Every structure is written in structure tokens, then in C-alpha cells.
Amino acid sequence: MSISSALLAATSGLSAAQSRIDVVSRNVANATNEDYTRKTQELQTRLIGGQAQGVDLGVIERSVNEGLLEDIRTQEATVSELSVLDAYLERLVEAFGRPGDNDSISAKITDLKESIQVMSIAPELGANQAEVLRAAEAVAQEFQEITAAIADLRKEADSAIADTVELVNNALTNIDTLNDEIAIRKTEGRTTADLEDSRDKYVQELSKYLNINVIERSNGELTILTGDSRLLLDDTKFPLTFTETALFTSTTAGQPLQIEDGLPGTATNPNISGEVSARDGELAGLLRIRDTILVEAQDQLDTLAHELANDLDTFTINGTTAVVNLFVDAGGNVPADALGNEQGFAEVIRVNPTVTATPSILVTGDTGDAANTYVAIGSGDHRIANAMLDAFQATQTFVSGFGLTATNTIEGFAAELVGFQANQHATFESQLTFETNYRDTLVQSFRDESGVNTDEELAKLIELEAAFAASARVLQTVQQSLDELVNIIR
């Protein structure tokens, strides 16, 4: 080997060792950074005239298992959706009460039945009549409070959708910016490893919000699509759009989630609520809560309130009709027993003011209604009270079960309603625990494979320091040889 060749080899070796030491040092410094992936810099033999003349540095690259990263994104969307469902359903269960709780809607309906039982023994006592009205008022108030809680939860979910849409669009903007920078650097032959780490952080964040598919193009840019293959980001961004609803009642329908399709005019932007809610991610959970789960809970509650009012309105006793109408709407009416009439009734149900003003109607059955033909046999007539108890104990046909048994007793339907919410929450809670553990396992595997192992990096650092020292010794030897050559010439 000539002196010039040795000089080239030594100087390139020093430069390579120094650069690689810098890469390893940055790896060690970022060992606790969860968004950082291990970097490596390979060497290439420098050929001059067909002969090896030192080494050239390769581009700094990441050590990333893209398949595992994709699995984590998919699992992150699943966990995020279940987290939303678990949080909202826990509060829904608190509103309905849990099975066995004394303050659940089921317990309060049972309390009403028991107060009627007491009145049936001594219907003439004003205290017994007052207790029935107190229990009935507690039932009506509970229906209204649960309805208000459901409306509040739907409004909260609606606001969260608006906030999440903004986060989605911000993440798309950041990914788009990094796409451009990465494409430029790749064209220039420069490393993009750190930029790709930053971009992956935003892609990971995006995967929490909705189910996505990610495709890397030949220039290093990412194309991002929804789970149903709608473009979110390519050369152009296609942001989500959403209009928040100001107020929710028991019958309010929330606004749709849309995506800009690039066509002129907002009217063309398609509604993707169904597509998103059918998959995973926070948006899916929020849409399911707002438009499906809470709506179903409200329907079930309305059905129970509607049936209760219809069963405690009029009674046929010995061929006569006793009109009590214990529960009515804001207009003083009992909705007809037909599908559709139950909608929103739990929000307006109240104890009949006429009965409240004259509690003895619970015995006489005379509300002033023209349909009333019943005549009580004195103040101790217990026939209406017994008819009320029969209504509680008889199997009723509800206008719809909305996920519950439509043929049931009033108490049975109420108990099933409370249990349904608790069981639904328990199911999602169990799924969340399982999916979170699986997600954590994937993340740990990714970190083991793509993260920084400080022991390995420190061992590599020792090797590089030795290589640096060896190149320095070669350079020193070359210098000594040149000095001796100069001395000989002199």
C-alpha cells in the first residue's frame, strides 16, 4: 500500500468513526424518548481506479419494523375507541343506577309499587295516598334526570367530535409538511431518519382518532386513507368537516361527519359518519356513543315511561271505567299506546297535577274525564289500588324493546334496562383491558426491536473508539514516514 493510499484510508476511517460515534451518542441520549428509533450508519468501500481507498459514509437510516408499526396503529385505534366507550358508558350506568342500587330507576318503580300495596290495605288514609304520589313523583323525576344526563352525554360527545376533527386536520397538516421536507431531502441524498420519526409520531396520533391505511410512495412521502379507502392525504389534503350541535334534547339528531372531496361547494362533501363509526378510533367511539348507544338507551327509557303511563291511566272495574291518568305529559295527556308515541316521553313525564291536587282520585278514580264511569264504594274502596297492582304484576307488551325483552312486566323491563347498561359497560371494559394489554405487548416488541438498547450502543461505542484510535495510529505512522522521507531528501 502506498503512503497516499494509507493516508486516504486513515483519514476516511477517522471521519467515518467520528460520524458513527456521533450517531451512537445520539442513540444513547434518546434512549428514553419513546418517539425515537435507533439509527445506524453503514459504511461503503471507496473504490478509486478499481482499488479500495478507504470508506465512504452511507445515509443515516432508522431501524424500524414497518409491519409491526402498522399493527400498533391498528391496535391503537381499537384501544382508543374502547376507551371512549368505556368512559361514557360508566357515566351512563351512574345515571341509570346499578342493579341492586336503591336509587336506580328500577328501584324507584318498585318503590312505587310497594307504596300502592300499602295504600291498597288502607286506601282511605291520606298518608298512604300521599306516599303513592311521592313515589310517583320520584319516578317521574328520575325519568327526567336520566334523560337530561343522556342529553348531556350526547352533547359532550358531539363537542368531543368537533375537537377531534380539529386534531385530525392538524395532524394531517403536520404530516403533509414533513412529507414535503422528506421528499426534498431524499432527492438531495440526505438522511430523513429524524424527520420520519417526527412524521410517525403524527401518524400514530392520527391512528388514535380513526382507522387509517398508510402507503409509502417511492419519493418517501406517505399517502393516508381512511379505513374505507377515502383519501385523507396525498399530494392534497382532504380534511374532515363537522358542525357542532348547540343543544340536545331526547329527540335531537346530531350533525354528520363529512370529508372535503375537493369538488366545488360544501354540498358535495360526503357524509362518512357511518363509515367511521363502523371501524375503530376515538371518532368511531364518539359517533357510536352519540348516535347509537345513547339513542338506544333513550329509546329504552322512553318505552318504559310510556308503558308505565299507559298501564296506570285507566282501569276496567266491574264493567266500569276508572280514569286516573297517574302519569301524563306536559299537556296533561297520556300518549296513545302505539309505536312512535313513546319518543321523548321520558323527558316530559310528570305526575298528573289533577291527582296531585286531589289525592283521593287514587281511590275514587274521578279526574273529571268524560270517560270515567266508575263510582267508588266509600273512601276505603281498594279496587283501584288493586287494579294498579295487577298492572305491575301482569306481563305487558311494550311498543318495542329496543334491545330489551318487549314482553315483560313493568318491573322486569325496568330491571332489565338497568342491567343492560351495566352489562354493556362491563363488556366494553373487559374488551378494553384485553386490547390494551395486546397493544402494550406490540409496543414493547417494537421498542425491543426498534428502540435503543444502551448496553448494545455502549459496546458499539467502544468498538468505534478503538477503530478511531487505529485510524489515528495509521495516520500517525504515515506522518512519521513522511517526516523520515523529508529528512532523507534533505
Side-chain angles (χ1 to χ4, degrees):
M1 176 183 290
S2 66
I3 291 178
S4 61
S5 296
L7 183 61
L8 285 172
T11 54
S12 66
L14 281 174
S15 178
Q18 182 61 53
S19 180
R20 298 179 78 193
I21 286 173
D22 179 63
V23 171
V24 172
S25 298
R26 286 195 293 119
N27 282 344
V28 174
N30 287 279
T32 58
N33 184 352
E34 295 181 356
D35 298 322
Y36 183 87
T37 57
R38 186 177 71 257
K39 307 299 187 299
T40 59
Q41 187 173 34
E42 300 301 324
L43 301 179
Q44 299 171 350
T45 302
R46 180 188 297 170
L47 296 175
I48 300 178
Q51 295 184 348
Q53 300 287 340
V55 294
D56 286 323
L57 290 169
V59 176
I60 297 174
E61 296 180 346
R62 306 188 304 160
S63 299
V64 172
N65 185 326
E66 293 292 347
L68 187 55
L69 192 58
E70 183 178 352
D71 289 342
I72 292 175
R73 290 168 183 158
T74 300
Q75 191 63 20
E76 190 66 59
T78 300
V79 170
S80 296
E81 180 193 16
L82 289 172
S83 296
V84 168
L85 296 175
D86 176 66
Y88 277 86
L89 285 173
E90 182 175 2
R91 294 165 61 188
L92 183 64
V93 169
E94 291 175 359
F96 275 92
R98 300 177 185 277
D101 287 353
N102 292 328
D103 59 349
S104 70
I105 183 64
S106 174
K108 292 187 176 181
I109 287 177
T110 296
D111 184 42
L112 173 60
K113 185 193 80 169
E114 291 174 350
S115 70
I116 294 173
Q117 285 177 327
V118 172
M119 186 182 70
S120 70
I121 297 172
E124 71 279 3
L125 295 180
N128 289 344
Q129 298 169 9
E131 182 61 18
V132 170
L133 293 176
R134 180 209 60 78
E137 186 62 41
V139 169
Q141 185 175 352
E142 186 70 9
F143 275 120
Q144 294 170 9
E145 289 179 353
I146 295 175
T147 298
I150 291 174
D152 288 344
L153 288 173
R154 292 189 70 205
K155 170 59 180 170
E156 188 174 324
D158 192 72
S159 297
I161 291 171
D163 293 339
T164 305
V165 165
E166 184 176 354
L167 292 174
V168 167
N169 292 337
N170 288 340
L172 289 173
T173 297
N174 290 324
I175 295 169
D176 188 36
T177 300
L178 289 166
N179 265 351
D180 293 339
E181 294 180 15
I182 288 170
I184 292 172
R185 287 201 178 193
K186 280 189 175 293
T187 300
E188 297 172 347
R190 299 158 60 196
T191 180
T192 61
D194 288 336
L195 290 177
E196 289 179 61
D197 278 354
S198 297
R199 185 176 63 182
D200 276 352
K201 181 180 70 173
Y202 290 115
V203 174
Q204 185 74 8
E205 177 188 348
L206 188 61
S207 71
K208 290 172 52 180
Y209 305 139
L210 74 165
N211 189 277
I212 58 173
N213 293 320
V214 181
I215 302 172
E216 183 172 1
R217 304 207 303 266
S218 59
N219 64 352
E221 294 186 3
L222 296 183
T223 294
I224 299 179
L225 307 94
T226 68
D228 286 86
S229 299
R230 290 187 184 273
L231 272 175
L232 285 169
L233 177 65
D234 195 30
D235 292 327
T236 304
K237 285 185 300 180
F238 299 92
L240 303 182
T241 62
F242 179 75
T243 302
E244 192 173 342
T245 301
L247 177 67
F248 274 86
T249 67
S250 59
T251 57
T252 302
Q255 293 295 311
L257 175 66
Q258 296 174 288
I259 186 170
E260 294 185 10
D261 56 9
L263 299 176
T266 57
T268 61
N269 296 344
N271 177 358
I272 61 171
S273 299
E275 297 175 8
V276 172
S277 63
R279 293 185 177 269
D280 299 322
E282 285 186 16
L283 280 175
L286 291 168
L287 286 167
R288 285 185 64 187
I289 281 291
R290 189 197 69 172
D291 298 336
T292 303
I293 294 176
L294 291 179
V295 170
E296 179 182 59
Q298 185 64 59
D299 287 339
Q300 294 168 343
L301 190 68
D302 286 338
T303 297
L304 176 60
H306 179 255
E307 188 64 34
L308 182 63
N310 271 272
D311 290 344
L312 299 180
D313 58 352
T314 61
F315 306 92
T316 300
I317 301 174
N318 294 335
T320 63
T321 301
V323 180
V324 175
N325 291 344
L326 182 58
F327 293 105
V328 294
D329 59 19
N333 303 308
V334 178
D337 190 12
L339 184 62
N341 289 337
E342 81 287 350
Q343 290 185 354
F345 185 62
E347 185 175 21
V348 298
I349 187 174
R350 61 174 180 165
V351 178
N352 190 338
T354 302
V355 180
T356 301
T358 311
S360 61
I361 290 175
L362 295 171
V363 178
T364 65
D366 185 9
T367 57
D369 192 294
N372 184 79
T373 58
Y374 176 77
V375 178
I377 307 173
S379 61
D381 193 336
H382 53 74
R383 289 179 294 171
I384 288 181
N386 288 340
M388 287 183 173
L389 291 177
D390 290 341
F392 273 97
Q393 295 166 357
T395 298
Q396 311 291 344
T397 300
F398 293 74
V399 290
S400 176
F402 293 106
L404 304 179
T405 305
T407 303
N408 210 331
T409 63
I410 294 175
E411 284 185 290
F413 192 92
E416 187 179 354
L417 170 61
V418 172
F420 180 88
Q421 314 309 325
N423 290 337
Q424 185 174 224
H425 173 240
T427 298
F428 284 121
E429 187 176 39
S430 176
Q431 290 178 357
L432 175 60
T433 300
F434 174 80
E435 299 294 352
T436 299
N437 289 337
Y438 180 47
R439 187 273 313 274
D440 292 344
T441 299
L442 291 175
V443 169
Q444 188 57 53
S445 298
F446 179 79
R447 290 175 181 168
D448 290 342
E449 186 173 337
S450 301
V452 176
N453 184 312
T454 52
D455 291 338
E456 292 179 0
E457 296 301 312
L458 290 175
K460 189 181 297 182
L461 188 60
I462 293 173
E463 293 177 4
L464 291 171
E465 288 175 344
F468 183 90
S471 295
R473 284 195 298 271
V474 171
L475 191 60
Q476 184 180 17
T477 300
V478 170
Q479 182 63 49
Q480 290 174 350
S481 299
L482 289 174
D483 290 343
E484 290 175 1
L485 182 59
V486 169
N487 290 332
I488 291 173
I489 294 173
R490 289 177 179 173

